[in-house]
Amino acid sequence: MMRRCELPARDLRLLDPLFVYPSTVLGRERAIVVNLEQIRCVITADEVLLLNSLDSYVLQYAAELQRRLLQRAEGDELPFEFRALELALEAACSFLDAQAAELEIEAYPLLDELTSKISTLNLERVRRLKSRLVALTRRVQKVRDEIEQLMDDDGDMAEMYLTEKKMRMESSVFGDQSLLGYNSAGAAGTSVSAPVSPVSSPTESRKLEKTFSLCRSRHDSTKGSDNTTTEHIQELEMLLEAYFVVIDSTLNKLTSLKEYIDDTEDFINIQLDNVRNQLIQFELLLTTATFVVAIFGVVAGIFGMNFETSVFKIENAFQWVLVITSVVGVFIFCSFLWFFKYKRLMPL
Amino acid sequence: MMRRCELPARDLRLLDPLFVYPSTVLGRERAIVVNLEQIRCVITADEVLLLNSLDSYVLQYAAELQRRLLQRAEGDELPFEFRALELALEAACSFLDAQAAELEIEAYPLLDELTSKISTLNLERVRRLKSRLVALTRRVQKVRDEIEQLMDDDGDMAEMYLTEKKMRMESSVFGDQSLLGYNSAGAAGTSVSAPVSPVSSPTESRKLEKTFSLCRSRHDSTKGSDNTTTEHIQELEMLLEAYFVVIDSTLNKLTSLKEYIDDTEDFINIQLDNVRNQLIQFELLLTTATFVVAIFGVVAGIFGMNFETSVFKIENAFQWVLVITSVVGVFIFCSFLWFFKYKRLMPL
Amino acid sequence: MMRRCELPARDLRLLDPLFVYPSTVLGRERAIVVNLEQIRCVITADEVLLLNSLDSYVLQYAAELQRRLLQRAEGDELPFEFRALELALEAACSFLDAQAAELEIEAYPLLDELTSKISTLNLERVRRLKSRLVALTRRVQKVRDEIEQLMDDDGDMAEMYLTEKKMRMESSVFGDQSLLGYNSAGAAGTSVSAPVSPVSSPTESRKLEKTFSLCRSRHDSTKGSDNTTTEHIQELEMLLEAYFVVIDSTLNKLTSLKEYIDDTEDFINIQLDNVRNQLIQFELLLTTATFVVAIFGVVAGIFGMNFETSVFKIENAFQWVLVITSVVGVFIFCSFLWFFKYKRLMPL
Amino acid sequence: MMRRCELPARDLRLLDPLFVYPSTVLGRERAIVVNLEQIRCVITADEVLLLNSLDSYVLQYAAELQRRLLQRAEGDELPFEFRALELALEAACSFLDAQAAELEIEAYPLLDELTSKISTLNLERVRRLKSRLVALTRRVQKVRDEIEQLMDDDGDMAEMYLTEKKMRMESSVFGDQSLLGYNSAGAAGTSVSAPVSPVSSPTESRKLEKTFSLCRSRHDSTKGSDNTTTEHIQELEMLLEAYFVVIDSTLNKLTSLKEYIDDTEDFINIQLDNVRNQLIQFELLLTTATFVVAIFGVVAGIFGMNFETSVFKIENAFQWVLVITSVVGVFIFCSFLWFFKYKRLMPL
Amino acid sequence: MMRRCELPARDLRLLDPLFVYPSTVLGRERAIVVNLEQIRCVITADEVLLLNSLDSYVLQYAAELQRRLLQRAEGDELPFEFRALELALEAACSFLDAQAAELEIEAYPLLDELTSKISTLNLERVRRLKSRLVALTRRVQKVRDEIEQLMDDDGDMAEMYLTEKKMRMESSVFGDQSLLGYNSAGAAGTSVSAPVSPVSSPTESRKLEKTFSLCRSRHDSTKGSDNTTTEHIQELEMLLEAYFVVIDSTLNKLTSLKEYIDDTEDFINIQLDNVRNQLIQFELLLTTATFVVAIFGVVAGIFGMNFETSVFKIENAFQWVLVITSVVGVFIFCSFLWFFKYKRLMPL
């Protein structure tokens, strides 16, 4: 396979299903190495080599690809490799968007539940949710960066216009030889006829120009092919732009979810702190009350001592002790309340 | 509609009212795809196709657009598509600014109330406010980034100069044919005559040049049209600059609000912690006092035991016990106070 | 006024004193729109139109501007608009620096006070300080970004060289006509003679070149004027560089202050947590002591029950009970202390 | 050695094993200075000078390098210096990836253990883990930035194509002299014959062109060599791209781990707060219960006082006191419970 | 001095020792304004004007500069101004690195001490350390940014090649006049002979070319001098690259230290929270125990009341009451323990 696409071993290693490398789109001399989520393939000018072709998701991609290529006959100016790339982007975008939507559906009710009832179970679920969110955000971010980088670099986009490169190479090698009769078979069963013939015409006209004008030929021809190339690159850029908006929208969703989680955590933290303060306020009130009651108990204890004093003989001493102690106790309690209110420790 | 503007399906999908894609301005071959907040339209060289035309907000935009285009006759050098784009920008900016102002009016009193009274209800309201703020900030940020990106990329701005592109195309196809008689009808009822005639003159003068000089024609003509284009692009850049300042000011407001919320949350956290420490300080004081009272109670309990000892016969033992225990209790309490003060645990 | 400077309404709106737009410096066809803090003016090739001219701060700027322009006669090669811009930058920089210094003087003592005494009043003051700091930082940042952006974009700087542009325009319109006799009156009373004459000489020499060589004239002339322009742009760049360092230094101060506040808040948080832990440690100790005392009290209570048992008849039972209970109480208390120390909960 | 590679002392200082400088790849006139993790070497057009050659890791690199260079004879178009650089990158990437994998294996179980059991020991281990993670992340980040910077700067990559530079220099010095007979011996025992001969042909053909055409020679020759150089630079860029993906994947792993740690810490913080609130809730409940019990105790104490009142003579007073006090106590306790529930302080 | 170096007042103001501006290196027409930490100087093509020359640190720099310039005679191709700049960079880098190392030596033991013993004193020291760290990091960052900015901008570097500029100016003014006889005296006593003569040769050869070819002279000469300039700029870039790595390594150290502090603070926060939870757990246990003891006390109090009931006459009632109450108390306590364990509040 390496020989077929003229790819070095180190590029193919990136598609190895055993390792999980981040999403990448690399333009090479004769192939585009695509590693977008599940879809790991090598796109050449007239083939798509799918690597992990047993995955149901990838099979779906292959079927869709074949279906679309059949439609192509109805007139579509995009070269083969761009169509394959578009389909890979579309598949990756919709896959990621579906995962993001799934995460959203799960997350929002869970977070709202968490604000009303904080339990270890819910916290654990939110933690797992965050792990998944971070992982998904990274993957979406990676795809987005890859698209953005491709759009920014015209050279990379030109490099991807494989059909043009192949044409040029062939025309320089075979001359006017027939360009028909290519057999292309995808490694994963994707067999499509290469979109060679319609694109070959500019090359031929270029050849004519070459014989016509000697000194200007080279300049013009490059100009001429440049025009076609530039047009196709612009189409590729527009294609990428559209999917960039889609993946950016997915990323937006995930970032919103992340910020919602962060806000919820802030809310929970302040809420927990606030509840704790209220709990401690009541505890302080109860401690104050217990203190007053303890004083009452001490008074009762004092008069329960077995000493023989004349106090016990005083008339109505029992009532007086109870009344005086009660009044003092209530006074102490109210003083504390007033003091706490004065210190603004309690919203009494 | 796709055929009319030569837009691929994937671009129009971005305007679909069912999906909420972030704000985007895409320059295409014959149209500008605008998705700024409510306003989702396709601007061509002489039409504006409004998509969600039933929305009251969009109707207002359409009315304003028609009004302005009538004023145009009084002499304004901007091409049709730039005027439509400007109006869309203005509408989006003022819409977002109004929403930001509304949020501000609601937020500041709520936050100041929160600092004086922290309740679950207020916290919940602040949380909802933050969600709205984050969502609005993202939308404003998106519009701002879109404007900035357009300003940075001269190529994109040139791409948007549709009138010029159309002129060039027509002049190359129809030659000196009459350019009059265009019928343009907006899909949403916006029907305006295209600003074609005044702009066509530079094209014709260019044609003259072409016949005049053979070898230099191409170079000069591109120079000539470049001058006009550059001028118009500069006007577009200035237009974008002005709205960039406006949207940047809105973003500034929102960022300030966000930081005000963050500062308030920091303040509340420290304040809650501080109040809690004060509560615990008083609780510690009361625990100390209760401890002393408990010692007193134990002393009383000891002398309330039913053992027969000679202690109870001692004269004035009752008074002595009370006095000694009280003195010891006060001493213990004061020792604790001094100790806490020494440890700097309390600001006594 | 719009007609005078050929500015569209949307640019002038940015200078509207009723709205607070962030700092902006916009280079336009015949004017520089300056909105730096208080100073909102339009600088043309020979006028400065001050908008909010009643402000004392702006009057000071106008006076300084007149004074400097008089000094100009002593030989200074900077064009009029650059001198006005420099003065506006200087005024804005020194104004912001003064405000930053004021904030610093207020902040550091307050923060140091806060670390030793955390009170609601101090926290509230720090919060207000942070609001002011954030607002000021944003304004400084905005001015800094504006200067940086101007420096990075040579085109924008060239656009600002209004004198040159005016010269070129006039020379192309009036030919060899006299360039003398300009009347320029600032809207705010700033009336200065335009620095026209010395700069007009290169234009004239350029005209000579034009008559001398036909085919090379255009190329050379742009080269020639380019040299002068480039030189002036370099001077503008150096001017901006110098003020960039000044405003960067102000921004540095504010960022340092911000980080000092953040560090202080971290310190306060850990300090509050630490003090709270110590408070709870003492409370735990006291709870332990109270527990022991309560056990003593229960023992006393048991022997205070009115049951008739033989226990009360035992000799010295009173002493024995007291001694045994005390020993057990002390043992329990020490066990707890040892246990807390073993668990590393207390630094005993 | 400085003379051999024409490197200034300051560049060699960066390779000093005593100092730990961050990873760097510097392209110099006749050498590439490589400092990637353990591997510190100077690569010239036909030598690799390894500095810390006693390290087992570096010896392995040297062995692998020799092995690969022997394979080279089987046809590989990469120049010597790129092959050496690739091997150094591969060694550094796999080394860092191995360390990252090791850290991951250790971290995840530890963090999951921490969520279920928070102990000082576990916290201390997590802290050490974070230190190692931060250090490793920085090193990976540094290598990644270095690769990215090289890829972005075509000039730097061209500078690294030492073989080409050497060829050009020799051809201009020695003319048609034989280029054979180079002896190259690596300082660390790496002795390889320089890949000179096959690359020298374009130089010679260039010389021919020089004699052929006078005025165009220089332009063409640079064009010609430029083509070869550009091709090799593209190969270098592809090589760097592949290793960039690998190191980026390692960085991704580490960032994921970092975010997992952060999420775990957030989780632990909320969990600790939540548990604390529950503890305080139970303490409040117990304080309430103790308060009720204390009231009961006071009632008992009151009737245990030694006053002589008629209360004690009432029939069944004992039972009535117990019943009434119990009912009142239960009522007080239930009131508190209802109040706490009403205040939403407890999820009863 | 302003006249000597043709520097405007605003540039010299940046060197004012009274103000502390961030590190800056500005390339001016005839001088480089250097403000790197202590070293504030103006470097011209053959002079170094040191401003704060009394500082011991700066004197050392001057001495080293003189020593190196003497060595120069032994053959070094760097122009005078680059050598002076290199020395200033070296001095600043080593000064900052020394300060960073000092900070590191102080910080790590302090932080490790803090994890084992959190005291107000240690916290205060860490806070001061952080202030110093932040200030130093900013200064290092500033120097690093300045170097990076210089490296990125080829124009700025070319501007700094003062010798070349001076040569060109002189050759255009004096023609073949003798270039000898310059007197240069550093303001701070640094008197060095300018490296004029050896560098003047390319200028002369250029002059020859000028007389030789008329039409190509200008182009070639610029090319020729460009080659020399480009070479020198490349040398300057390599020089800056080397010091960039050094200062980047210092910055790395400081960032590591900052992250170590942050991790330690996170650790301390979780640790404090964890210890607090354990403290509250024990307090809850003790409160439970106290509650049980209080119930026991109430039972004792009940039977201590002076009512006359038949209960007191029951045989062995004393024992039965004790046994039953004890069993109930133990049962209540164990129920609470089981409940806390069930609620996962305590790791029993």
Side-chain angles (χ1 to χ4, degrees), chain B residues 261-277:
Chain B
I261 292 178
D262 286 350
D263 285 356
T264 305
E265 286 190 348
D266 283 0
F267 168 80
I268 286 173
N269 270 323
I270 294 185
Q271 178 67 355
L272 279 177
D273 275 25
N274 189 31
V275 163
R276 192 177 320 143
N277 274 21

Side-chain angles (χ1 to χ4, degrees), chain A residues 141-152:
Chain A
Q141 179 79 47
K142 194 68 205 161
V143 173
R144 184 182 169 278
D145 287 357
E146 204 64 38
I147 296 179
E148 195 175 23
Q149 203 182 319
L150 281 180
M151 288 199 312
D152 285 356

Side-chain angles (χ1 to χ4, degrees), chain D residues 10-11 13-14 20-22 24 26-29 118-120 123-124 127 130-131 134-135 138 142 149 153 156 159 215 218 258 262 265 268-269 271-276 278-280 282-284 286-287 289-290 293-294 296-297 299-301 303-307 311-314 317-319 321-322, chain E residues 78 86 90 111-112 115 144 151 223 227 234-235 237-239 241-246 248-249 252-253 255-256 259-260 262-264 266-267 269-271 273-278 280-281 283-284 287-288 290-291 294-295 298 301-309 311-312 336 339-340 343-346:
Chain D
R10 79 182 94 84
D11 284 346
R13 219 185 307 151
L14 299 179
V20 184
Y21 288 106
T24 328
L26 296 174
R28 288 290 176 258
E29 192 55 34
I118 304 161
S119 71
T120 309
L123 284 173
E124 186 63 43
R127 182 168 153 250
K130 276 169 83 177
S131 291
V134 163
R138 178 156 309 120
K142 194 70 205 159
Q149 204 182 319
D153 193 343
D156 273 9
E159 192 123 320
C215 83
R218 195 175 150 192
K258 176 89 182 100
D262 286 349
E265 286 191 348
I268 286 172
N269 270 322
Q271 178 67 355
L272 279 176
D273 276 25
N274 189 30
V275 163
R276 192 178 318 142
Q278 288 181 294
L279 286 172
I280 295 176
F282 284 110
E283 204 171 324
L284 183 57
L286 278 169
T287 310
T290 309
V293 168
F296 212 120
V299 169
F303 293 105
M305 291 196 291
N306 295 330
F307 292 107
V311 179
F312 299 119
K313 271 95 202 181
I314 298 165
F318 184 66
Q319 282 83 351
V321 164
L322 289 185
Chain E
L78 275 179
E86 177 181 9
E90 196 182 317
L111 288 167
D112 288 339
T115 55
R144 184 181 169 279
M151 287 199 312
K223 274 272 170 91
N227 279 352
Q234 240 176 21
E235 265 166 15
E237 192 172 355
M238 285 171 184
L239 190 155
E241 251 177 14
Y243 287 105
F244 180 77
V245 174
V246 172
D248 201 38
S249 152
N252 254 5
K253 271 189 212 162
T255 323
S256 294
E259 283 179 17
Y260 193 78
D262 286 349
D263 285 356
T264 306
D266 282 1
F267 168 81
N269 270 322
I270 294 186
Q271 178 67 355
D273 276 25
N274 189 30
V275 163
R276 192 177 318 141
N277 274 22
Q278 288 181 294
I280 294 176
Q281 282 169 5
E283 206 172 320
L284 182 58
T287 309
T288 313
T290 308
F291 172 68
I295 287 173
V298 165
I302 285 166
F303 292 104
M305 293 196 291
N306 295 329
F307 293 106
E308 289 172 9
T309 55
V311 179
F312 300 119
F336 271 106
F339 183 70
F340 293 149
K343 282 279 187 177
R344 299 198 177 191
L345 294 174
M346 288 184 200

Side-chain angles (χ1 to χ4, degrees), chain E residues 5-284:
Chain E
C5 320
E6 292 190 2
L7 285 172
R10 79 182 94 85
D11 284 346
L12 286 178
R13 217 185 309 152
L14 299 178
L15 300 177
D16 193 336
L18 292 178
F19 295 95
V20 183
Y21 288 106
S23 293
T24 329
V25 175
L26 296 175
R28 288 290 177 256
E29 192 54 35
R30 299 205 186 175
I32 307 173
V33 180
V34 177
N35 177 9
L36 286 167
E37 294 297 305
Q38 263 80 347
I39 297 165
R40 292 156 180 238
C41 59
V42 178
I43 299 171
T44 65
D46 35 51
E47 283 180 336
V48 176
L49 304 167
L50 285 161
L51 289 192
N52 47 352
S53 54
L54 295 178
D55 191 272
S56 72
Y57 189 71
V58 175
L59 284 175
Q60 200 179 327
Y61 168 70
E64 177 74 12
L65 182 61
Q66 275 178 317
R67 197 179 61 75
R68 291 237 186 150
L69 289 171
L70 292 179
Q71 287 184 340
R72 199 192 57 84
E74 300 160 23
D76 185 348
E77 74 284 10
L78 275 179
F80 174 77
E81 62 271 21
F82 289 178
R83 296 172 59 84
L85 185 62
E86 177 181 9
L87 202 56
L89 280 171
E90 196 182 317
C93 286
S94 61
F95 177 70
L96 289 171
D97 199 57
Q99 285 206 317
E102 196 185 306
L103 210 61
E104 270 187 322
I105 287 164
E106 198 177 330
Y108 286 110
L110 178 58
L111 288 167
D112 288 339
E113 193 192 327
L114 192 66
T115 55
S116 61
K117 185 171 172 298
I118 304 161
S119 71
T120 309
L121 184 68
N122 278 349
L123 283 173
E124 187 63 44
R125 282 172 66 197
V126 169
R127 183 170 154 248
R128 276 202 300 272
L129 199 92
K130 275 169 84 177
S131 290
R132 282 168 56 199
L133 176 62
V134 163
L136 187 59
T137 306
R138 178 156 309 120
R139 279 155 61 197
V140 171
Q141 180 79 46
K142 193 71 205 157
V143 174
R144 184 181 169 279
D145 287 356
E146 205 64 37
I147 296 179
E148 196 175 23
Q149 204 183 321
L150 281 180
M151 287 199 312
D152 284 357
D153 194 345
D154 281 359
D156 273 8
M157 283 197 287
E159 193 125 317
M160 283 191 180
Y161 190 11
L162 304 172
T163 306
E164 218 275 337
K165 283 199 280 190
K166 198 182 175 187
M167 289 304 111
R168 200 182 301 189
M169 215 179 303
E170 278 159 357
S171 66
S172 61
V173 174
F174 302 103
D176 292 308
Q177 219 180 331
S178 162
L179 291 167
L180 301 168
Y182 270 94
N183 292 320
S184 59
T190 319
S191 170
V192 288
S193 61
V196 177
S197 34
V199 191
S200 64
S201 47
T203 322
E204 287 181 283
S205 64
R206 212 169 59 218
K207 292 230 65 155
L208 285 174
E209 282 175 6
K210 261 180 186 160
T211 53
F212 181 74
S213 64
L214 212 89
C215 83
R216 301 211 152 194
S217 66
R218 196 176 151 192
H219 193 245
D220 282 4
S221 70
T222 30
K223 274 272 170 91
S225 77
D226 267 14
N227 279 352
T228 329
T229 311
T230 309
E231 206 172 273
H232 275 112
I233 285 171
Q234 240 176 21
E235 265 166 15
L236 177 56
E237 192 172 355
M238 285 171 184
L239 190 155
L240 290 172
E241 251 177 14
Y243 287 105
F244 180 77
V245 174
V246 172
I247 201 85
D248 201 38
S249 152
T250 307
L251 188 62
N252 254 5
K253 271 189 212 162
L254 293 175
T255 323
S256 294
L257 184 53
K258 176 86 182 104
E259 283 179 17
Y260 193 78
I261 293 178
D262 286 349
D263 285 356
T264 306
E265 286 190 349
D266 282 1
F267 168 81
I268 286 173
N269 270 322
I270 294 186
Q271 178 67 355
L272 279 176
D273 276 25
N274 189 30
V275 163
R276 192 177 318 141
N277 274 22
Q278 288 181 294
L279 285 171
I280 294 176
Q281 282 169 5
F282 284 110
E283 206 172 320
L284 182 58

Side-chain angles (χ1 to χ4, degrees), chain C residues 17 29 84 91 137 162 171 175-176 193 195 218 222 257 275 331 338:
Chain C
E29 192 54 35
T137 306
L162 304 173
S171 65
D176 291 307
S193 61
R218 195 174 150 193
T222 31
L257 184 53
V275 164
F331 175 75
W338 174 84

Side-chain angles (χ1 to χ4, degrees), chain A residues 19-20 138, chain D residues 96-98 100-101 104 108 133 246-259:
Chain A
F19 294 97
V20 184
R138 177 155 311 120
Chain D
L96 289 171
D97 198 58
E104 271 187 322
Y108 286 110
L133 176 63
V246 172
I247 201 87
D248 202 36
S249 152
T250 307
L251 188 62
N252 254 7
K253 269 188 213 163
L254 294 174
T255 324
S256 293
L257 184 54
K258 176 89 182 100
E259 283 179 18

